[in-house]
């Protein structure tokens, strides 16, 4: 087996650069889709059901794309065709979704918005899954932590930019934050335009600046016995079932951690705007159109940008910490801080308006809303670890010729808990908490703490080719 060449910093950077734009899109989706769907007529308790489009699309798309990318090779490489194709579709969906009101002659705007949301998230998954495998393909084992940490840094940098876009559009550029007809504000629409453009450009950079290893060369570096022309068994139903039967134990153990982690994250994305609007701004449970609610929505973008900024900073140190203390210890500690962060949001409610200087502008917000930045530090550290540590641990336990399909199967551990969360969250909010969304944040905290505990049961194994 020939030793795989080490990549320099900028080569690893180029491999992961497309994540910058993809995560801008994800951040805009996470912080604003509930707001957009509410503007289009979605009910508070229905939102988790609309959000099910995201994990369901991931559940369907990622294993298929992962297996297909394992068997592909053409002028754009092995993973490149899927990364680029998904980015094009995602950008188009981002352009159309906030303009759902224009489709009123074709179908109800809410239906059109939901379809665009599903298409947008599905194409994100088409792009994201091969990216995960690309990092493992292009980095040697001793560079794996560095590769996923740089990926995490770029993801979170993109998330910061995407999260704050609507706030910047309103408070710096003066774009309207309230639609006079009760529809989607112009600040959100323009943010989706910019995010879609950045997504496409950054992915193009990665595809054309990264030279993937040809099948024979890849097989030599990874210690495979045959050239990687794609084994048909992984593409058949029987082959897929065999893959599931032979799933590495490490993946099964990580799935428990993933369940608690992503259950929490789904609750955060769906309900932070409502929790903040009710708990800090004092908005009634039924309020989704007032200026106060829209201000809370903008501030959620800042909070999400904040946790992404903390995640980006933590990503810089995460490689050294993982190498020194071990992946599991850093992973568990990060999830613990995330759980504490979610739980502490309950402590910050109401308060007088304060003038907050954000360098780019001065805003008036309730004092408790400003204090939500502290919990976001813990959430950000957890988010950085969730993006990197499971994949770094898992990639060492997977056969190289099935890296893509197993990474796709691993997405079940992301989509599954979100689907469960989406089914039960609305009913829990309705029947147990009378629409007070802050208690959903408390549940998210408990779930994240359980994830931190479950890391202890993960055994790291070496892959068998």
């Amino acid at each position: 087996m020939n030793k795989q060449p080490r990549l320099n910093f900028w080569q690893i950077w180029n491999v992961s650069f497309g994540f910058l734009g993809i995560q801008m899109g994800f951040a805009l989706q996470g912080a604003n889709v509930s707001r957009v769907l509410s503007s289009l007529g979605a009910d508070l308790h229905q939102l988790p059901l609309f959000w099910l489009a995201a994990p369901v699309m991931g559940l369907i798309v990622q294993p298929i794309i992962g297996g297909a990318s394992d068997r592909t090779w053409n002028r754009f490489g092995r993973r490149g065709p899927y990364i680029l194709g998904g980015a094009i579709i995602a950008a188009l969906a981002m352009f159309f979704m906030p303009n759902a009101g224009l489709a009123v002659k074709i179908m109800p705007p809410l239906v059109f918005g939901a379809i665009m949301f599903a298409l947008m998230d599905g194409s994100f998954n088409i792009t994201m899954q091969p990216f995960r495998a690309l990092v493992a393909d292009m980095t040697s084992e001793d560079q794996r932590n560095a590769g996923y940490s740089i990926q995490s840094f770029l993801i979170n940098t993109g998330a910061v930019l995407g999260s704050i876009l609507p706030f910047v559009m309103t408070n710096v550029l003066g774009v309207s934050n309230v639609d006079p007809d009760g529809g989607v504000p112009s600040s959100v629409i323009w943010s989706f335009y910019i995010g879609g453009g950045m997504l496409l450009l950054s992915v193009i950079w990665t595809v054309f600046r990264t030279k993937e290893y040809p099948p024979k060369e890849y097989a030599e570096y990874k210690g495979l016995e045959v050239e990687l022309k794609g084994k048909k068994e992984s593409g058949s139903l029987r082959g897929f079932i065999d893959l599931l039967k032979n799933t590495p134990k490490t993946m099964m153990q990580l799935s428990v951690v993933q369940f608690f982690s992503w259950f929490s994250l789904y609750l955060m994305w769906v309900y932070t705007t409502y929790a903040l609007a009710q708990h800090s701004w004092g908005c009634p449970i039924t309020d989704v159109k007032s200026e106060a609610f829209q201000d809370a929505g903008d501030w959620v973008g800042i909070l999400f940008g904040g946790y992404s900024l903390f995640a980006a900073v933590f990503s810089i140190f995460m490689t050294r910490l993982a190498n020194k203390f071990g992946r599991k210890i850093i992973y568990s500690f990060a999830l613990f801080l995330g759980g504490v962060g979610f739980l502490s949001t309950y402590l910050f409610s109401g308060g007088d308006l304060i003038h907050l200087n954000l360098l780019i502008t001065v805003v008036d917000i309730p004092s408790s809303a400003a204090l939500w930045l502290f919990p976001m530090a813990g959430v950000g550290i957890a988010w950085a670890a969730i993006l990197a540590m499971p994949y770094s641990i898992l990639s060492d336990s997977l056969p190289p010729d099935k890296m893509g399909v197993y990474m796709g199967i691993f997405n079940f551990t992301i989509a599954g808990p979100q689907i469960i969360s989406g089914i039960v969250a609305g009913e829990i909010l309705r029947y147990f908490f009378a629409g007070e969304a802050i208690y959903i944040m408390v549940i998210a905290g408990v779930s994240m703490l359980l994830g931190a505990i479950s890391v202890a049961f993960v055994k790291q194994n070496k892959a068998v080719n």
Side-chain angles (χ1 to χ4, degrees), residues 67 203 337 399 412:
V203 166
L337 292 180
F412 290 177

Side-chain angles (χ1 to χ4, degrees), residues 179-208:
D179 184 82
D181 298 322
V184 181
S186 296
S187 58
V188 175
I189 293 174
W190 278 101
S191 295
F192 271 71
Y193 291 165
I194 295 170
M198 285 298 298
L199 185 157
L200 193 56
L201 290 174
S202 65
V203 166
I204 288 174
W205 178 272
T206 282
V207 171
F208 287 96

Side-chain angles (χ1 to χ4, degrees), residues 164-356:
I164 68 173
L165 261 178
F167 183 91
V168 172
M169 297 298 291
T170 298
N171 294 281
V172 179
L173 302 180
V175 179
S176 176
N177 188 40
V178 179
D179 184 82
D181 298 322
V184 181
S186 296
S187 58
V188 175
I189 293 174
W190 278 101
S191 295
F192 271 71
Y193 291 165
I194 295 170
M198 285 298 298
L199 185 157
L200 193 56
L201 290 174
S202 65
V203 166
I204 288 174
W205 178 272
T206 282
V207 171
F208 287 96
R209 297 287 293 182
T210 299
K211 185 179 183 298
E212 296 187 65
Y213 299 121
K216 183 177 180 179
E217 190 175 351
Y218 178 85
E220 291 175 353
Y221 291 150
K222 301 299 183 181
L224 303 178
E225 295 181 359
V226 296
E227 290 187 14
L228 205 112
K229 293 180 179 178
K231 298 182 179 181
K232 293 183 179 180
E233 67 269 16
S234 63
S236 66
L237 178 60
R238 175 176 292 181
F240 185 74
I241 293 174
D242 288 340
L243 286 172
L244 291 178
K245 289 180 179 178
N246 296 312
T247 298
K249 290 182 179 179
T250 301
M251 183 186 290
M252 301 299 293
Q253 293 158 352
L254 281 170
S255 68
V256 178
V257 186
Q258 290 279 89
F259 176 86
F260 292 120
S261 302
W262 287 93
F263 188 91
S264 298
L265 293 171
Y266 188 89
L267 295 176
M268 177 186 72
W269 290 324
V270 175
Y271 281 118
T272 298
T273 298
Y274 288 88
L276 185 67
Q278 296 168 9
H279 207 54
S280 288
W281 262 267
C283 292
I285 292 171
T286 56
D287 179 10
V288 295
K289 296 182 182 296
S290 70
E291 184 175 355
F293 183 85
Q294 299 299 340
D295 287 342
D298 280 350
W299 190 246
V300 167
I302 295 297
L303 293 176
F304 281 16
Y307 87 67
S308 298
L309 179 60
F310 286 117
V313 172
F314 182 68
S315 297
I316 297 173
F317 305 99
M318 188 162 52
T319 299
R320 291 184 180 180
L321 292 172
N323 289 337
K324 182 175 182 178
F325 298 104
R327 295 165 176 168
K328 287 174 55 177
I329 290 176
I330 298 305
Y331 189 16
S332 181
F333 180 68
L335 295 182
F336 171 79
L337 292 180
V340 172
F342 280 127
L343 290 173
S344 64
T345 58
Y346 182 81
L347 303 176
F348 308 124
S349 64
D352 297 328
L353 289 179
I354 61 171
H355 303 289
L356 191 64

Side-chain angles (χ1 to χ4, degrees), residues 136-167:
D137 288 347
M138 299 301 297
T139 56
S140 56
E141 183 179 329
D142 61 337
Q143 289 190 301
R144 202 65 53 77
N145 283 349
Y148 281 109
S149 294
I150 290 173
Q151 169 189 297
S152 182
F153 173 80
L154 286 167
I155 284 174
N156 288 296
T157 301
V160 171
L161 297 176
S163 296
I164 68 173
L165 261 178
F167 183 91

Side-chain angles (χ1 to χ4, degrees), residues 84-108:
L84 182 59
I88 293 172
I89 300 171
L92 291 174
M94 289 189 71
F95 298 152
F96 283 116
M97 184 185 175
N99 291 297
L102 300 177
V104 66
K105 294 183 179 179
I106 304 174
M107 65 183 71

Side-chain angles (χ1 to χ4, degrees), residues 12-90:
I12 299 177
W13 179 276
N14 289 338
V15 168
S16 295
F17 187 70
F19 275 108
L20 181 77
I22 295 172
Q23 197 59 35
M24 284 188 70
F26 263 126
L28 283 164
Q29 171 182 292
N32 296 283
V33 162
S34 287
R35 186 178 175 187
V36 170
L37 292 175
S38 294
S39 297
L40 297 174
D43 177 76
L44 170 66
H45 305 98
Q46 295 173 334
L47 282 175
L49 299 178
F50 284 105
W51 269 85
L52 282 176
V56 168
M57 292 301 293
L59 194 66
I60 296 171
V61 168
Q62 289 213 20
I64 295 173
I65 297 300
S69 69
D70 280 341
R71 303 188 301 275
T72 294
W73 180 261
N74 59 35
R75 59 180 295 186
F76 293 108
R78 187 184 186 199
R79 317 293 183 185
Y82 301 95
I83 294 172
L84 182 59
I88 293 172
I89 300 171

